């Protein structure tokens, strides 16, 4: 296959995937460490971002939090983590956070 054709096929497929993984402005988010981190340190900088801890995520070392995306993103970038949208079904297997 030609590289141009691969890109033409990949971009339309990637956009919906990226859009569904993008964290909301406020609400539940999944913080996934890219570099090894102690959870106690993660909880410390999550608290500095004024976020609330909901629990552990489905990925090893990940945490589910609620809060303001911009404040959380500032902390995660400086601590080697990424922020994704946290969906109850994907994180807990339940339909809602309170189920």
């Amino acid at each position: 296959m030609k590289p141009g054709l691969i890109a033409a096929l990949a971009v339309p497929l990637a956009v919906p995937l990226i859009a569904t993984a993008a964290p909301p402005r406020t609400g539940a988010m999944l913080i996934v460490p890219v570099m090894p981190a102690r959870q106690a340190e993660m909880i410390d900088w999550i608290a500095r971002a004024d976020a609330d801890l909901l629990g552990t995520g489905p990925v090893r070392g990940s945490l589910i939090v609620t809060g303001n995306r911009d404040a959380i993103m500032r902390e995660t970038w400086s601590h080697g983590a990424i922020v994704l949208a946290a969906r109850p079904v994907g994180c807990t297997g339940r339909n809602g956070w309170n189920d």
Side-chain angles (χ1 to χ4, degrees), residues 60-92:
R60 183 181 173 116
S62 65
L63 297 172
I64 303 168
V65 301
T66 58
N68 178 284
R69 177 191 61 206
D70 297 337
I72 293 169
M73 296 277 280
R74 277 192 297 273
E75 290 291 332
T76 57
W77 285 344
S78 63
H79 289 93
I82 58 171
V83 181
L84 303 170
R87 307 280 186 247
V89 172
C91 291
T92 66

Side-chain angles (χ1 to χ4, degrees), residues 7-64:
L9 294 173
V11 170
L13 295 174
V15 170
L17 292 174
I18 292 168
T20 59
R25 181 169 295 287
T26 61
M29 291 168 248
L30 178 66
I31 299 177
V32 182
V34 177
M35 301 179 331
R38 293 192 342 237
Q39 277 198 337
E41 290 174 358
M42 285 180 65
I43 292 170
D44 182 50
W45 54 260
I46 287 168
R48 280 197 309 269
D50 201 28
D52 296 318
L53 179 65
L54 293 180
T56 58
V59 178
R60 183 181 173 116
S62 65
L63 297 172
I64 303 168

